[in-house]
Amino acid sequence: MVTRVRQRLGEWATAGLSDAEVFAALNEGQIDIAWKLPDAALRGIMSSATGSLTASAFTLPTDFMRFRTLTVATVYATYWPVSKVMAMRGIAAASAKQPFCTIWGSTCTVYVGAPTSTAAYALQYIAEPTTITTSVDPVYDAYLLDLIETFAVESCLRLRQRTAEADEVLARYNQALGVIDSRYPEGPLHEGKAVDPGG
């Protein structure tokens, strides 16, 4: 990927643009794509975790990036952004048949009506992409690899103060994101992101 980015830039000498800078741009591209595309387009970084609640809560996986779904004792929990928890408490009461959850820091708290719960849970989430290095490949589907490289090209062009070229590449990048996004139906919003409802 580094070689292809350099080829597109015409920047072969590491004295002008180091491999570390190219790798940094590639990894930024992975994160940008993860936040801008719907979950259904990100199969390579979908992940899951299971366990049992401890006092109605559990610690999120270390690679957790974005919430998808949570089941508590096989019942889907409704996700509440932290900013809405107090408002929602006045509208609907949580119960074992209608659980709610919220995320604060690295903890997911589940409201099931009872004071505490030790029920089994299953979390589906979008994981942070693995860091691309000389020995670690990205885990994205193959059709997204060119987009990651395109983001890196735009970033490196901007770093080299080739602004007009960077603007053109950015426009193509955003257009490609729009085409991919249009292939998936609009679903409910989690953290302001459109995701597929069924997975």
Side-chain angles (χ1 to χ4, degrees):
M1 293 180 83
V2 172
T3 301
R4 285 194 295 271
V5 169
R6 286 192 175 283
Q7 184 178 30
R8 291 169 67 177
L9 288 167
E11 292 269 1
W12 295 103
T14 56
L17 183 68
S18 70
D19 283 352
E21 289 171 319
V22 178
F23 275 121
L26 288 167
N27 285 305
E28 286 175 26
Q30 290 194 108
I31 298 295
D32 193 69
I33 288 168
W35 281 113
K36 289 181 177 174
L37 287 182
D39 290 1
L42 302 171
R43 292 172 299 177
I45 57 172
M46 285 183 187
S47 195
S48 61
T50 59
S52 296
L53 299 174
T54 301
S56 295
F58 65 93
T59 302
L60 295 168
T62 55
D63 63 348
F64 177 88
M65 183 175 178
R66 186 167 71 245
F67 177 90
R68 292 199 74 223
T69 64
L70 175 69
T71 56
V72 180
T74 72
V75 178
Y76 279 97
T78 301
Y79 172 72
W80 288 351
V82 171
S83 60
K84 297 182 180 178
V85 169
M86 294 309 293
M88 292 296 288
R89 278 182 174 169
I91 296 172
S95 68
K97 292 184 178 180
Q98 190 177 354
F100 305 111
C101 67
T102 190
I103 293 171
W104 181 259
S106 61
T107 301
C108 181
T109 302
V110 182
Y111 302 89
V112 292
T116 61
S117 173
T118 57
Y121 70 85
L123 172 71
Q124 286 190 334
Y125 64 99
I126 296 297
E128 289 184 0
T130 55
T131 301
I132 303 170
T133 66
T134 53
S135 58
V136 178
D137 292 330
V139 295
Y140 278 97
D141 289 341
Y143 79 97
L144 291 174
L145 299 184
D146 181 65
L147 263 183
I148 294 170
E149 292 171 12
T150 300
F151 180 96
V153 168
E154 184 271 335
S155 181
C156 290
L157 284 169
R158 217 164 284 286
L159 185 66
R160 303 291 283 147
Q161 299 182 0
R162 294 163 61 181
T163 309
E165 294 170 85
D167 289 344
E168 289 178 14
V169 173
L170 180 61
R172 290 197 300 270
Y173 172 79
N174 287 330
Q175 182 179 28
L177 285 177
V179 169
I180 295 170
D181 188 55
S182 70
R183 294 177 180 168
Y184 297 91
E186 185 176 348
L189 297 178
H190 290 298
E191 301 278 58
K193 277 300 302 162
V195 297
D196 60 313

